[in-house]
Amino acid sequence: MDFPYDIRYTMSADFKLFKLLWKHNKAFFKVDFPISVFDTGGVSNTNRAEGIRQNIAVIREVDCLVDKTRLLPRLYFVIFVLEIRRLLKKRR
């Protein structure tokens, strides 16, 4: 298999897979119907910081310097905001 599903990333394995497929110029097709339904109360939304940390790890592993420079500051900012919110919630 050229692009195995990386189960080290419990919340971002699909993100890594799609990034690798895109980087290797694999074809994607638009379909006019849903191919998945997900619960907004699932683990990737209830533990958002961990999901973003895994996305950061995938970007650091897969992307080139230009993409890292473009994407990582945004994600680090989100982690920062989530941490501030967590600390403020803890103080209440």
Side-chain angles (χ1 to χ4, degrees):
M1 183 184 290
D2 291 337
F3 304 99
Y5 206 70
D6 192 342
I7 60 172
R8 293 176 301 156
Y9 300 110
T10 56
M11 290 186 244
S12 297
D14 54 345
F15 179 61
K16 181 179 179 186
L17 176 65
F18 287 119
K19 282 186 126 341
L20 287 171
L21 292 170
W22 181 263
K23 287 179 73 63
H24 287 87
N25 299 313
K26 300 300 179 183
F28 288 81
F29 300 96
K30 182 179 190 259
V31 294
D32 293 326
F33 54 87
I35 58 170
S36 68
V37 178
F38 62 93
D39 182 0
T40 57
V43 69
S44 61
N45 283 321
T46 56
N47 190 0
R48 192 69 192 129
E50 179 57 27
I52 292 172
R53 283 186 186 95
Q54 286 188 22
N55 285 353
I56 288 169
V58 167
I59 290 167
R60 291 180 64 167
E61 180 181 336
V62 172
D63 285 348
C64 66
L65 180 61
V66 171
D67 289 336
K68 288 177 186 177
T69 304
R70 183 175 56 87
L71 298 170
L72 289 176
R74 297 174 191 183
L75 293 176
Y76 286 128
F77 178 74
V78 172
I79 291 289
F80 174 74
V81 169
L82 290 172
E83 186 63 20
I84 296 291
R85 285 183 185 164
R86 186 187 68 78
L87 291 171
L88 290 174
K89 200 180 240 187
K90 192 175 176 181
R91 292 182 72 187
R92 291 182 195 174

